C-alpha cells in the first residue's frame, strides 16, 4: 500500500548526507571547559589533570598552561598535525612519554617551563623539524641515556640558553 502525499524523500538524501558530513561529523567541537576561537584552543588554568581528548584536529595553538598535568602520554596530542604553538608551562609534568610530539610536524614553539621535568626521552623532538623555539627552565634536565635529546636541536641552537635538554 503506497502512502498518500509521499513524494520521494530520497531525493534529499544526498543533501542530508553532505550536511551531516560537514556539521554532524566535524571534529571541531571545543573540549569541555575550554575556549575555542578560530584555530586556538585555550584550556589554561582550569585545574585539568589530563590533556583533553577532543581537541579539534585543525588546532594551531594550544594553551594548556597552569593545569595539573603530571605526565604527557604518547597519544595526548595524536592527530594534531597542524599544531604550531604548544604551551605546557606551569603544570606538574614529571614525565614525557617517547613519541608524545611525533604527530606535530608543524610545531614551531613549545614551552615546558616550570614543571617537574628532570629527564626526557632520547630524540624526543626528532620528528619536529619546524621546532624553532623550545623553552624549558629545568636546569638539571637530561635525556634517559645521557645523550642529547635531539642533535638537530643542538645544531639549531634550541637546547642552549641556560637550560639543558
Amino acid at each position: 500500500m503506497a502512502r498518500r502525499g509521499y513524494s520521494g524523500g530520497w531525493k534529499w538524501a544526498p543533501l542530508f548526507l553532505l550536511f551531516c558530513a560537514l556539521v554532524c561529523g566535524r571534529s571541531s567541537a571545543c573540549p569541555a571547559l575550554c575556549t575555542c576561537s578560530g584555530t586556538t584552543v585555550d584550556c589554561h588554568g582550569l585545574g585539568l589533570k589530563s590533556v583533553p581528548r577532543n581537541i579539534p584536529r585543525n588546532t594551531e595553538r594550544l594553551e594548556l598552561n597552569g593545569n595539573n598535568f603530571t605526565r604527557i602520554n604518547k597519544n595526548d596530542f595524536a592527530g594534531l598535525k597542524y599544531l604550531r604553538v604548544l604551551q605546557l608551562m606551569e603544570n606538574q609534568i614529571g614525565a614525557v612519554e617517547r613519541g608524545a610530539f611525533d604527530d606535530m610536524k608543524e610545531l614551531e614553539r613549545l614551552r615546558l617551563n616550570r614543571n617537574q621535568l628532570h629527564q626526557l626521552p632520547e630524540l624526543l623532538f626528532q620528528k619536529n623539524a619546524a621546532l624553532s623555539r623550545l623553552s624549558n627552565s629545568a636546569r638539571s634536565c637530561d635525556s634517559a641515556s645521557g645523550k642529547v635529546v635531539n642533535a638537530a636541536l643542538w645544531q639549531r641552537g634550541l637546547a642552549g640558553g641556560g637550560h639543558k635538554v
Side-chain angles (χ1 to χ4, degrees), residues 48-136:
L48 302 175
K49 294 188 186 289
S50 62
V51 175
R53 291 281 165 224
N54 56 340
I55 299 167
R57 301 265 181 201
N58 67 336
T59 301
E60 292 182 17
R61 182 181 186 96
L62 182 55
E63 304 278 347
L64 293 170
N65 45 307
N67 283 292
N68 293 314
F69 307 141
T70 58
R71 172 178 191 83
I72 299 298
N73 298 307
K74 182 177 182 173
N75 295 322
D76 283 344
F77 304 111
L80 297 179
K81 60 184 180 180
Y82 302 110
L83 199 63
R84 294 176 27 199
V85 178
L86 178 57
Q87 310 277 27
L88 287 168
M89 63 271 191
E90 297 174 353
N91 278 284
Q92 306 298 317
I93 301 168
V96 178
E97 193 172 323
R98 184 177 315 227
F101 305 122
D102 283 1
D103 281 0
M104 296 184 259
K105 309 288 189 231
E106 303 295 321
L107 188 65
E108 297 171 3
R109 289 184 281 172
L110 173 61
R111 294 193 68 189
L112 289 165
N113 306 56
R114 298 186 199 108
N115 280 290
Q116 306 299 318
L117 287 169
H118 299 288
Q119 192 172 5
L120 291 173
E122 186 177 342
L123 303 174
L124 181 62
F125 306 107
Q126 184 175 24
K127 297 188 177 178
N128 306 110
L131 189 61
S132 61
R133 192 171 205 176
L134 173 64
S135 300
N136 178 15

Side-chain angles (χ1 to χ4, degrees), residues 4-68:
R4 244 185 172 157
Y6 183 73
S7 61
W10 286 106
K11 67 181 178 182
W12 298 105
L15 288 174
F16 177 75
L17 291 174
L18 180 62
F19 175 79
C20 279
L22 294 174
V23 178
C24 304
R26 285 176 60 184
S27 62
S28 62
C30 196
L33 304 176
C34 302
T35 305
C36 296
S37 177
T39 57
T40 296
V41 177
D42 188 350
C43 303
H44 84 276
L46 298 176
L48 302 175
K49 294 188 186 289
S50 62
V51 175
R53 291 281 165 224
N54 56 340
I55 299 167
R57 301 265 181 201
N58 67 336
T59 301
E60 292 182 17
R61 182 181 186 96
L62 182 55
E63 304 278 347
L64 293 170
N65 45 307
N67 283 292
N68 293 314

